[in-house]
Amino acid sequence: MHWTRACIRCIVARLNPGESMRASSVFSALLLALALPLSGCLDPFASSNDDDASNDDDVANDDDASNDDDASNDDDASNDDDASDDDDASDDDDAADDDDSTPPGALDCTPGSTQLALSQGVTQTVAFSATLDQGSGPAPATGVEWSVLSGPGSIDTFSGLYTSSADVGGLTEIFAYLDGESAICTIEMTMDGEVNDTGNSAVPGAFSGATVMTNDGCASEIVYPLDLSAMPASFEAPLIQWEASGNTMHMLEIASTWTTITVYTSADQYQPAQATWNGLTIFDPGNTITLTLTSGVWGGSGFSGQPCTSTASTSFEVTDGSLNGTIVYWEPPITKAISFDATLGTTNAPVPFATAVCHGCHTNNLANPMLMTYGPGFPGTTALVDLATPGTILQQWGGFFPLVDYGAPDPTGAYVVVGESGITGSVLKLMSATTGGLVNTLTTAKNAAMPNWSPDGTKLVYVGCDGGASALSAAECDLYTQDWNAATETFSNETQIAAHGSGDTLYYPTFSPDSAWVAYNRGFPFTDSDGDTVWSNNNPSADMFIVSAAGGGSQIELVNANGVGDLTNSWPRWAPNTGNFAWLAVSSKRAYGHQVDDRAQLWVTAIDFSAASAGNDPSLAPAWIPGQLTSAGNHTPTWLPRFAN
């Protein structure tokens, strides 16, 4: 027994697409199916109907030359979809037919659109009602179920009384549902909020009554967040910081599309409450936050002179609220993990590895992120663990000499490519993750190190060096890929995808989550405090680039992400998934506001692949990753989906 397409059209016409979110819509669909004969549809259970031996799909019926989908029937010139039928100018979609006026049974909610001006800490209510047109005009509807489809606030399921959020404004959609019919109403809410942290009730009035001078010379300067940066909305609220420049009282405006919070403080920093921040960034359909700072010298009861503000505000993007995760990183002498989530908050705890020494450590495959290699015990060894049980080493390779480091797991969990450095040079070896044994040694034109296996499993990227090649030093190196053949357990077709320039080196390559791009570092050699020439590890000149994994493309410098000066932008690592942006974590010694300077901290930068495809800088200025200690130097951020550490 099957239904005719006419029956299906009845159901489609009766059901709102949004009802797929509701369990009750399934029940409604069944009721409609039973009611089809009463509404003009054919009986779906009749033996002489749509799909029996003499009908819909046989040679004599629906899909043959004389029936439903043929030249004389349902979809032909004289039938369902032609100029004289269902979807033509005289039928289904015109002024005299099915879809151009309110059909019988249509549900409508009132008020359809509402605007509210809110004050922070105070709620407002809106009473919604509904009408149902059953063929004789709209009449009050009873038994309607109400819910908030998106946006802030709440609504009583049965009465339809909506209550706004006390923390934020935004755009809220109200969903009304009754017996398979639905309707949506909207509420646009702007909110002005005020936070006075000074303990002096005269301060807000003093600012509002003052003549403010726009002058960068006397204005306080916002130093974090960075202008034109981006951060995931799953991060906790940022610590907004500024250099006071001699000013002692400040008015900070935090504005999104719908909400403006004005903060009065004598401090040089402010962190919004998490509920307020979530409202500014999650419920607000706009992604841009704008900070405006006005500052002056407070004389006890008023300002000494005029308050000042900068000529330009600070703006940054907050997006991808579902991009949660855990970042495993090296905080000498231990390995730690930061887990973050927009609703669960941020945690930081050590990863209970058996032992750990960070040389080519914390490497995973974005398609199988819980399987990780790291450097256990003495330098020159590489171990494989499952992060569900990180204290149990599954396999371990190397020892004192030759050095084995920088393991690259494949996406299936069957293999690991490791780098081995000895007297005769550096090679890459394919190891079994199951037995720990050697499968084969890769053929490379140069000393090879720092392998990374693509998430789609098809390629390996690594450095091929004219000089030394190991996890600690990669001198005068290019980037190469080879193709993986699972049937023969071999790599082949060595291809150079990026060449180093005169006097520099390329290193730390890593595949993007879609396997289409490779991020890496470029650096110039320097002499360390011991008088040794260092090419890669902890290189102050390190900057980030990306290049197409297919080869033949230009090397694109991440200028916005790199910043200005020698900031040691090392160990770029991708987030395992993307949203509006791809995300690249990095260790950098850039200043984090006035909290820390010249100490390695973990940062994240947004990457726009469409800009990269056009050959342009795809990066935005980076954001500091919350949850880490500013008193520690933090390195090698490896990003994976959030897990219980």
Side-chain angles (χ1 to χ4, degrees):
M1 293 180 293
H2 300 282
W3 296 351
T4 63
R5 287 182 301 160
C7 294
I8 295 173
R9 285 173 185 147
C10 284
I11 294 177
V12 171
R14 296 282 183 138
L15 288 180
N16 185 291
E19 292 169 21
S20 61
M21 296 179 293
R22 302 177 57 89
S24 57
S25 65
V26 177
F27 180 67
S28 300
L30 293 174
L31 290 178
L32 283 172
L34 295 175
L36 288 176
L38 299 179
S39 59
C41 289
L42 297 178
D43 181 358
F45 305 104
S47 61
S48 61
N49 203 299
D50 236 39
D51 294 323
D52 66 359
S54 62
N55 204 294
D56 203 58
D57 295 324
D58 65 356
V59 294
N61 203 289
D62 205 57
D63 295 326
D64 68 353
S66 63
N67 203 282
D68 208 59
D69 296 326
D70 66 354
S72 63
N73 204 288
D74 209 62
D75 296 319
D76 67 352
S78 62
N79 203 286
D80 210 57
D81 295 326
D82 68 351
S84 62
D85 200 87
D86 209 60
D87 295 318
D88 67 350
S90 63
D91 196 62
D92 220 50
D93 297 322
D94 69 351
D97 204 312
D98 243 38
D99 299 327
D100 58 350
S101 60
T102 303
L107 187 71
D108 193 19
C109 60
T110 303
S113 178
T114 305
Q115 290 79 38
L116 299 178
L118 307 176
S119 297
Q120 192 175 36
V122 179
T123 62
Q124 293 189 33
T125 60
V126 179
F128 284 94
S129 61
T131 58
L132 184 66
D133 187 346
Q134 295 181 315
S136 57
T142 58
V144 176
E145 296 179 38
W146 299 91
S147 61
V148 173
L149 191 62
S150 63
S154 61
I155 193 168
D156 185 271
T157 303
F158 304 106
S159 71
L161 183 65
Y162 169 82
T163 303
S164 68
S165 167
D167 297 305
V168 295
L171 177 66
T172 293
E173 291 184 313
I174 302 298
F175 187 75
Y177 179 83
L178 177 64
D179 296 335
E181 304 293 339
S182 64
I184 295 177
C185 293
T186 60
I187 311 173
E188 298 178 356
M189 295 165 286
T190 58
M191 174 175 280
D192 291 319
E194 181 179 297
V195 178
N196 188 352
D197 281 347
T198 67
N200 188 335
S201 60
V203 171
F207 270 106
S208 63
T211 300
V212 177
M213 180 167 49
T214 302
N215 186 334
D216 291 335
C218 61
S220 299
E221 179 186 4
I222 295 174
V223 292
Y224 188 82
L226 302 177
D227 192 32
L228 303 180
S229 63
M231 65 182 67
S234 51
F235 280 8
E236 66 184 42
L239 181 65
I240 303 168
Q241 305 165 54
W242 55 90
E243 296 294 344
S245 302
N247 295 308
T248 57
M249 194 64 70
H250 312 277
M251 180 179 71
L252 174 68
E253 290 184 351
I254 309 171
S256 62
T257 302
W258 301 96
T259 305
T260 299
I261 306 298
T262 303
V263 180
Y264 302 96
T265 180
S266 58
D268 57 2
Q269 60 189 38
Y270 178 75
Q271 185 173 31
Q274 193 61 42
T276 300
W277 184 249
N278 287 346
L280 284 163
T281 57
I282 295 176
F283 293 130
D284 199 307
N287 293 326
T288 301
I289 300 294
T290 301
L291 306 177
T292 304
L293 184 64
T294 303
S295 304
V297 178
W298 187 253
S301 59
F303 288 107
S304 298
Q306 292 177 261
C308 294
T309 191
S310 298
T311 55
S313 299
T314 296
S315 295
F316 56 98
E317 298 293 307
V318 183
T319 184
D320 293 346
S322 62
L323 191 75
N324 61 18
T326 296
I327 294 179
V328 176
Y329 68 102
W330 178 242
E331 182 194 286
I334 59 175
T335 302
K336 299 183 76 174
I338 298 170
S339 295
F340 52 89
D341 185 280
T343 56
L344 298 177
T346 304
T347 61
N348 188 330
V351 179
F353 287 141
T355 54
V357 172
C358 186
H359 291 288
C361 59
H362 317 323
T363 303
N364 66 348
N365 190 294
L366 294 178
N368 189 8
M370 292 297 285
L371 205 61
M372 176 173 283
T373 59
Y374 77 105
F378 195 84
T381 58
T382 291
L384 179 69
V385 298
D386 186 330
L387 287 173
T389 55
T392 301
I393 293 178
L394 303 177
Q395 300 293 343
Q396 184 168 320
W397 302 279
F400 179 74
F401 198 80
L403 301 176
V404 175
D405 49 33
Y406 218 110
D410 83 319
T412 70
Y415 306 96
V416 176
V417 174
V418 300
E420 182 179 280
S421 304
I423 296 175
T424 58
S426 300
V427 297
L428 300 178
K429 293 189 173 184
L430 178 66
M431 315 300 292
S432 169
T434 304
T435 68
L438 174 67
V439 179
N440 59 58
T441 300
L442 279 67
T443 300
T444 60
K446 299 180 179 182
N447 287 325
M450 302 180 179
N452 186 261
W453 208 315
S454 65
D456 66 6
T458 63
K459 290 181 181 293
L460 188 80
V461 66
Y462 54 93
V463 298
C465 308
D466 296 324
S470 70
L472 291 177
S473 182
E476 298 178 287
C477 302
D478 307 315
L479 300 187
Y480 292 88
T481 61
Q482 288 196 37
D483 298 330
W484 169 243
N485 187 321
T488 60
E489 296 183 309
T490 58
F491 287 97
S492 62
N493 189 30
E494 185 175 52
T495 302
Q496 185 185 87
I497 62 170
H500 76 282
S502 176
D504 67 14
T505 189
L506 310 181
Y507 57 102
Y508 296 158
T510 178
F511 275 105
S512 62
D514 62 0
S515 302
W517 298 90
V518 173
Y520 58 97
N521 277 135
R522 183 195 69 179
F524 297 86
F526 72 101
T527 302
D528 66 12
S529 58
D530 295 327
D532 297 326
T533 299
V534 178
W535 283 87
S536 54
N537 185 56
N538 202 30
N539 190 333
S541 68
D543 279 331
M544 294 181 289
F545 286 71
I546 66 170
V547 69
S548 170
S554 60
Q555 301 183 49
I556 304 173
E557 183 175 2
L558 306 185
V559 177
N560 295 325
N562 287 326
V564 179
D566 289 343
L567 301 177
T568 320
N569 297 310
S570 295
W571 298 97
R573 302 288 179 87
W574 297 95
N577 46 31
T578 61
N580 292 328
F581 293 101
W583 297 89
L584 195 60
V586 65
S587 174
S588 177
K589 291 185 178 180
R590 72 183 66 238
Y592 168 46
H594 48 57
Q595 296 292 303
V596 62
D597 191 15
D598 197 31
R599 184 181 298 123
Q601 295 280 282
L602 306 181
W603 295 73
V604 62
T605 183
I607 303 294
D608 181 355
F609 285 142
S610 63
S613 297
N616 300 320
D617 177 13
S619 67
L620 296 179
W624 185 79
I625 296 176
Q628 59 185 308
L629 293 179
T630 57
S631 59
N634 304 317
H635 310 274
T636 59
T638 300
W639 197 328
L640 53 152
R642 183 177 176 122
F643 73 98
N645 175 38

